[in-house]
Amino acid sequence: MKKVGVALLGLGVVGGGTYEILKKHQEFFKKTQGVDLVVKYVMDRNTARCTELGVDPAIITTDINVIADDPDVQIVAEFFGGIEPARTFLTTVLKKGKSIVTANKELFSKYWHELEAAAKEGKAGLYYEASCVGGVPIIRTLTEGTQANRILSIKGIINGTTNYILSSMSDEGKTYENALAEAQRLGYAEADPTADVEGFDAMYKLSILSSLAYHKKVPIDRVYREGISRVAIEDILIGKELGLTLKLLAISKDDGKKIQARVHPTFVPNTHPLASVSGSFNAVHLVGDSVGDIMLYGRGAGALPTGSAIVSDILYAAKQTKHRYCPFNNTGTATKDGDFADDFISKYYIRLTVKDEVGTLGRIAGAFGKNNVSIVTVLQRDSRTEIVNIIFVTHETLEKNIKKAIEDIKSLKGVTEVNSVIHVEE
Amino acid sequence: MKKVGVALLGLGVVGGGTYEILKKHQEFFKKTQGVDLVVKYVMDRNTARCTELGVDPAIITTDINVIADDPDVQIVAEFFGGIEPARTFLTTVLKKGKSIVTANKELFSKYWHELEAAAKEGKAGLYYEASCVGGVPIIRTLTEGTQANRILSIKGIINGTTNYILSSMSDEGKTYENALAEAQRLGYAEADPTADVEGFDAMYKLSILSSLAYHKKVPIDRVYREGISRVAIEDILIGKELGLTLKLLAISKDDGKKIQARVHPTFVPNTHPLASVSGSFNAVHLVGDSVGDIMLYGRGAGALPTGSAIVSDILYAAKQTKHRYCPFNNTGTATKDGDFADDFISKYYIRLTVKDEVGTLGRIAGAFGKNNVSIVTVLQRDSRTEIVNIIFVTHETLEKNIKKAIEDIKSLKGVTEVNSVIHVEE
């Protein structure tokens, strides 16, 4: 029986879930996987937490070098999150030949190349299934399940906090502020929710997934990012009337020449498989050139779902006789500026406040037409007052055309305000 | 660059799709996977088909020994389907150390142990992602993505033909016969549709998936099987009124003591993720003890989707330095009779034709009660005539109780016919 020593850095939510799975299933893994996973070290300053989880005090350490220098440790799983000390610690152990397993999307998306260089130096492996979409095996799907395909697009709901907030706005008619407060009370959102609600978390994940999918590094600064903090409940309710559901989507596409990647609030038709992914669930929809449409759905966060991905990575890492590295780092296909599209094509939902006067609608239609934006749907709301809302849904158009049209419309007589401009994906 | 020789046995729909992917993406795989996949042999008697696909006549063979004896062939992909000659050919090449990749669910579910013994003898690998759910990487998910879990249940729509037929009955109100005829016209059903519509295909796949999920062989003769050929359009339409969608579900569960596996028409609530999987799409819903709910969705058949799974397996096999075998064959955990549950628990939908007389409903309710079956919903249809339909939906109950209740009800005064008894899954 192959014995594999594991060190856990951090024993928070996911670290705790991982420890629980490793203890509960040690015999099960011996029987079904032929591997004896032994927790050799736990690094956490919170001794109360360690005691609560039943960690033997003898295996608690605060010194990374104890772990790095122990030849019986083969795998180090990291749960600190953020950049430091994770970056230094993981680089240290990789160089000593220990494979790492991590859920740290921020570190991974920013310092992948650095971690990979350290891994090559130590002939160690990098495993990061848990960094994207919790327990859903999306990384394994990309690297071992659909690798026969050129991936054409990724569309995902990959942040549970924002999906919970948008679902509760849509289902219960709550404002953003009230939905956020509720999510915080229930533990679905952090006290400082910025990383989730402003789309940073989804941006990190989309950078990782897109890099794997398109075999080229898609750095975070090439991912357009827009959060949900300015989403108005009015638009969610109007969208419902139009058969559209609002989601924070992470979208990337590769047309074979240019890559585009973006995170923003997006309307999808109610019939789209992603429309029914609600609450804290996550889902990723892929299109491959041979396989066509694939969707994976599951829990994107939580102690045990993310712990499941961590332990699956540990078992996977334990069985590799030779670790593999990313082709885009191996072959030097550094991404160039020209690899990215700066002209997005999308449909748009636009809500305007206008004065109910003869000629206003004609002037607006003229401004769209002048900028080559054609309209699918016009919806006028509530004409009991002199101020009315008009909603337009466009055909596919270049983002630069929409921007120019909106600039023109803003200065038109009778237009009071451009309230919302929201992407619509089919 | 690692050069890997591949032989393709059969060049039908999936074999052709596989050949197309291998030719189209040879350079892409060299760049992204570091493997040069070279088609060394094609075995097919249909030379017109070979010419159509542009196969070099020099690599066409009809002799399996030519392939088995060529040291430059590492992987043999099989597309014959059925038992012979696939069984003999694959056993032959495995013993010679060539790994096999196959979509052959019937062969694999029936002769897995025999193929595995041959593979061990030849130190070769067995890869069969394409045998279940076409391009959807469900096998890789079970073996490399959720292997940290005890899998508690599998529920899947894993046969595209029956899902197409049931969707077209539900959406267009067609009878079974008309929906089948249309599916045959469109190529979604075979001239002899038995393997699909009677649930054999789903049974083979469920046997394979359940064996992997529960780490115990679940042989096909332990899978309860009931097809869709007796499904009445009336029940689909009544189900719609009750918020239920009818699907041919493959279901298996492991409660830690007993396994149960079954394929039968099943009502699911419209809100269930599987309810919206329509047409020729497939989906598998898993529950793991840590990861919770996961669902995978995609195309379950077709030249390129299934070819995607075949080529992903070829790439995966090409990278293994040591092939792994199934723990339930390795450790001798042969499945015993006592490992299987013979008392299914389910909810049921029951449709009766009765005479509209005082006391009939009371007698029926009495028969359910006597057999410990409690009722959630009663729906009486159309009382304009003296003969009426009554529909009952039960709470969860043992199958043996339902059987006894139905026997009792059949002999009651006023009961003309028991029209349908259909499982309901939450």
Side-chain angles (χ1 to χ4, degrees), chain B residues 350-365:
Chain B
I350 296 148
R351 177 162 62 95
L352 309 176
T353 305
V354 303
K355 290 193 189 117
D356 193 9
E357 297 170 343
V358 175
T360 308
L361 184 57
R363 284 190 292 274
I364 297 168

Side-chain angles (χ1 to χ4, degrees), chain B residues 18 20 50 54 142 170 209 231 239 241-242 274 351 424:
Chain B
T18 299
E20 185 185 329
C50 294
L142 284 167
S170 177
L209 294 177
V231 167
E241 285 180 44
L242 295 168
L274 290 174
R351 177 162 62 95
V424 180

